[in-house]
Amino acid sequence: MPHRPTPQQRSTRILLIEPRRHVVAQLCGAYFKYHASTKTWRHDDGGPFTKAEQAAALAPTINEVKEAKKQIDRYHEYLQTWLEAPEVLDRFLAPFLDQLDEQSFGKAIDIMNKNERLKLQRLVNAAAEPVRPFTPYTF
């Protein structure tokens, strides 16, 4: 007679399963809409979920839900950084500009060390770059 795992062994085994990327992507996407009239999930573009997509969206593992939350949280951090970048850039530049008689961006760069210039470049990129849409496993 085959050995049957106890409920605790089964739940432990479930926790060790790696999140399925396609399920995490569906959970993160939250662009799907449930249509009660057809009892199917639909993507934001209106296309219906396949049966496999629907089954996965309705029965994620705990690890998949946790991973989706991590992905979404990282995206929210990215958005916050993007939104705050112009103000952070102003605060970063202020002490350099205060040291100059003739305040200019170029002269401020001239008095920065290598690490400060690298930080400035990151801030300028963050302030100038258009916001990227959410894509799981990108952030």
Side-chain angles (χ1 to χ4, degrees), residues 2-17:
H3 169 72
R4 290 204 140 139
T6 67
Q8 184 176 6
Q9 289 170 325
R10 282 193 300 266
S11 67
T12 302
R13 193 175 305 151
I14 289 171
L15 290 176
L16 298 177
I17 295 173

Side-chain angles (χ1 to χ4, degrees), residues 5-35:
T6 67
Q8 184 176 6
Q9 289 170 325
R10 282 193 300 266
S11 67
T12 302
R13 193 175 305 151
I14 289 171
L15 290 176
L16 298 177
I17 295 173
E18 286 294 313
R20 297 166 291 175
R21 290 176 66 95
H22 70 283
V23 175
V24 173
Q26 285 178 325
L27 295 173
C28 288
Y31 301 117
F32 50 84
K33 298 174 185 167
Y34 180 73
H35 291 268

Side-chain angles (χ1 to χ4, degrees), residues 83-127:
L83 289 169
E84 293 173 353
E87 186 178 308
V88 172
L89 179 58
D90 287 344
R91 284 195 310 263
F92 175 78
L93 283 172
F96 296 101
L97 294 171
D98 288 345
Q99 295 177 45
L100 302 169
D101 293 330
E102 183 186 327
Q103 295 184 348
S104 75
F105 189 70
K107 292 186 185 294
I109 292 171
D110 289 342
I111 62 174
M112 291 179 189
N113 65 36
K114 182 180 178 180
N115 288 336
E116 290 164 337
R117 276 189 235 108
L118 288 172
K119 183 173 182 175
L120 173 66
Q121 186 62 55
R122 284 192 301 272
L123 289 170
V124 168
N125 289 347

